[in-house]
Amino acid sequence: MTESTTDQSVRLAKRVAEMRPCSRREAELYIEGGYVSVDGVVVEEAGARVTPEQEITIAADATLLEAVPVTLLLHKAVGVNGGIGKDGLPALHQIRPDTLTRTAPSQRFLKRHLANLVLTLPLETQASGLLVLTQDFRVNRKLTEEAARMEQEIIVEVSGEIAENGLALLNHGLPFNGKPLPPIKVSWQNERRLRFAVKGPKPGQIEHMCKMVGLSVVAMKRIRIGRIAMSSLPQGEWRYLQPHERF
């Protein structure tokens, strides 16, 4: 016998349609939504082949509602490329099932959540902290169009001795790229860490500002964008933006 006559496998969508029962397209939606398991393993490909011996399970909360685009919040580590330049491992490589945090409410992880992600509000490779990747055009538009008005909170570890009146100058009075900077809220968090609350910072801006008042930047960490704080999200892990959260 040839392989084609001995192969008794069928498309997973066909089996699901028979089990539910439902239309083939509805079966595909259940599968693409991550609600169907084969021998205990979630399978998201409707065209996957299964045999009669394999156990097919449909989750009790399976729904035909269209999957909504997701927004992911990542605690980027130093050395991971945050959208500026080409150095470092791209941040998208950090988004995996094993790095989804257990410290915050979550949802079912789907492979489709990795498709067409847009990185917004880039972060320098040598900085760490909150990074946003989204499939939602509304989130992308808001963070892009309102970047100059949206406050970011950045903790900056410094070395050296600040110049006289240096803190006042950091708050207002320094130029960058030949133009005066607007007022910025800068305060000491402790004797070696400054807290910047700044709207629309440009790459290299904070390091330049510190240098102009006699300080060298040792490390930078972005801990908040608008109303979304990184909070207790561990470094290298990520979580889903929840439906009630707004930037």
Side-chain angles (χ1 to χ4, degrees), residues 61-133:
D61 62 345
T63 175
L64 291 173
L65 293 176
E66 185 177 356
V68 297
V70 298
T71 296
L72 314 180
L73 307 177
L74 170 69
H75 183 168
K76 185 186 92 66
V78 172
V80 174
N81 184 280
I84 298 175
K86 297 181 179 180
D87 55 330
L89 187 70
L92 184 59
H93 288 213
Q94 304 294 298
I95 308 297
R96 308 186 305 270
D98 62 295
T99 55
L100 175 58
T101 190
R102 298 181 181 180
T103 64
S106 190
Q107 64 188 72
R108 179 184 284 106
F109 173 81
L110 301 176
K111 294 177 184 177
R112 64 164 57 186
H113 293 164
L114 301 181
N116 304 315
L117 283 170
V118 175
L119 190 155
T120 66
L121 298 180
L123 193 58
E124 295 168 58
T125 300
Q126 293 310 308
S128 63
L130 183 60
L131 202 62
V132 180
L133 301 101

Side-chain angles (χ1 to χ4, degrees), residues 18 42 44 53 73 78 89 127 157-158 172 178 180 196 222 226 238:
E18 294 169 348
V42 174
E44 298 175 43
E53 295 77 22
L73 307 177
V78 172
L89 187 70
E157 183 179 347
V158 295
H172 193 209
F196 281 71
R222 181 164 65 190
W238 62 276

Side-chain angles (χ1 to χ4, degrees), residues 163 169 174-176 207-215:
L169 287 171
L174 295 177
F176 181 63
E207 186 173 4
H208 170 80
M209 293 174 67
C210 290
K211 184 176 180 180
M212 291 196 73
V213 296
L215 299 173

Side-chain angles (χ1 to χ4, degrees), residues 13-237:
K14 182 175 187 297
R15 283 281 300 275
V16 172
E18 294 169 348
M19 292 173 58
R20 199 68 182 169
C22 61
S23 70
R24 190 70 62 88
R25 180 52 190 154
E26 288 173 333
E28 291 173 351
L29 290 174
Y30 285 131
I31 296 167
E32 292 167 4
Y35 296 110
V36 178
S37 298
V38 178
D39 291 338
V41 178
V42 174
V43 176
E44 298 175 43
E45 295 77 27
R49 309 288 297 187
V50 293
T51 63
E53 295 77 22
Q54 290 182 291
E55 181 180 4
I56 313 300
T57 305
I58 304 173
D61 62 345
T63 175
L64 291 173
L65 293 176
E66 185 177 356
V68 297
V70 298
T71 296
L72 314 180
L73 307 177
L74 170 69
H75 183 168
K76 185 186 92 66
V78 172
V80 174
N81 184 280
I84 298 175
K86 297 181 179 180
D87 55 330
L89 187 70
L92 184 59
H93 288 213
Q94 304 294 298
I95 308 297
R96 308 186 305 270
D98 62 295
T99 55
L100 175 58
T101 190
R102 298 181 181 180
T103 64
S106 190
Q107 64 188 72
R108 179 184 284 106
F109 173 81
L110 301 176
K111 294 177 184 177
R112 64 164 57 186
H113 293 164
L114 301 181
N116 304 315
L117 283 170
V118 175
L119 190 155
T120 66
L121 298 180
L123 193 58
E124 295 168 58
T125 300
Q126 293 310 308
S128 63
L130 183 60
L131 202 62
V132 180
L133 301 101
T134 186
Q135 298 174 329
D136 193 331
F137 77 93
R138 297 165 300 180
V139 172
N140 182 37
R141 183 173 62 189
K142 181 176 181 66
L143 295 183
T144 300
E145 295 180 354
E146 299 183 17
R149 304 190 300 274
M150 185 168 295
E151 189 174 83
Q152 301 180 34
E153 187 174 348
I154 302 171
I155 303 301
V156 183
E157 183 179 347
V158 295
S159 63
E161 296 301 322
I162 193 167
E164 185 177 355
N165 203 34
L167 186 60
L169 287 171
L170 288 172
N171 277 270
H172 193 209
L174 295 177
F176 181 63
N177 289 339
K179 298 179 181 179
L181 289 166
I184 297 170
K185 291 181 276 187
V186 185
S187 59
W188 285 106
Q189 189 183 54
N190 60 37
E191 61 182 10
R192 283 300 170 195
R193 289 183 179 177
L194 288 163
R195 172 190 173 274
F196 281 71
V198 54
K199 296 178 181 178
K202 303 295 190 296
Q205 175 183 326
I206 290 178
E207 186 173 4
H208 170 80
M209 293 174 67
C210 290
K211 184 176 180 180
M212 291 196 73
V213 296
L215 299 173
S216 298
V217 171
V218 177
M220 286 194 296
K221 177 184 287 187
R222 181 164 65 190
I223 62 173
R224 178 174 59 84
I225 298 174
R227 289 175 288 184
I228 300 299
M230 190 167 63
S231 300
S232 59
L233 184 64
Q235 182 172 284
E237 297 186 6

